[in-house]
Amino acid sequence: MQGRNPGIASEKEIVVTLAKVEATAEQRAKVLAAFDAALPQTRALQAERETLRQQLQGLSPRQPDYLERSAALAKQWGELHEREVLAYARFESAVATTLSDSQWEQWQDQAVLMAPIERGPGAGGQMRRRR
């Protein structure tokens, strides 16, 4: 999963999965609208995450203000993670409330929805299936 966008799959994966769950035209339109709304925000959050990661890596423990700068970046990282989780939750909620119960179960079985957990300054964070 390295290199993939955490949380929201590609549009192609979503379209394929919508076909597999036999979504109606109305359901497809709603899910794709939610994807279109989420994508710019998730890309901006990913860029912000990369900037913070670079800033963290640029710190030296020998700097006199190392602890203060680390604490400030850690706080920003936590706030960023919260925004990422909420952006993903909005998309996931839109999909879950658009599809029927059986379609939602099939959607999850396709592993389209992956949620970021325990993301830290390291490479990629961990992923887990959402149920």
Side-chain angles (χ1 to χ4, degrees):
M1 298 294 294
Q2 295 217 359
R4 288 182 47 129
N5 296 339
I8 299 179
S10 72
E11 183 173 6
K12 180 180 177 181
E13 289 174 303
I14 291 172
V15 169
V16 167
T17 305
L18 286 168
K20 288 180 180 179
V21 303
E22 299 179 1
T24 66
E26 182 180 345
Q27 288 172 319
R28 281 192 305 272
K30 286 182 180 181
V31 170
L32 290 171
F35 174 80
D36 289 342
L39 189 60
Q41 183 180 20
T42 58
R43 284 190 177 155
L45 292 168
Q46 288 169 349
E48 188 176 341
R49 182 179 354 101
E50 179 59 22
T51 299
L52 281 174
R53 186 190 63 75
Q54 289 174 1
Q55 289 174 353
L56 283 165
Q57 287 181 336
L59 293 180
S60 169
R62 292 182 173 256
Q63 294 171 306
D65 62 346
Y66 174 72
L67 291 177
E68 293 83 10
R69 292 178 69 191
S70 294
L73 289 172
K75 182 177 180 180
Q76 290 176 10
W77 195 276
E79 292 166 355
L80 170 63
H81 182 70
E82 180 180 358
R83 292 193 323 261
E84 286 179 316
V85 169
L86 291 174
Y88 173 74
R90 283 188 292 275
F91 174 74
E92 183 179 46
S93 178
V95 175
T97 58
T98 297
L99 300 177
S100 71
D101 291 342
S102 63
Q103 287 171 318
W104 173 241
E105 191 167 319
Q106 289 173 328
W107 177 276
Q108 291 177 309
D109 289 341
Q110 296 298 316
V112 168
L113 298 179
M114 302 296 287
I117 63 168
E118 298 181 34
R119 181 175 320 287
Q126 298 175 347
M127 306 289 268
R128 68 177 169 89
R129 291 282 314 270
R130 297 285 295 189
R131 282 287 174 187

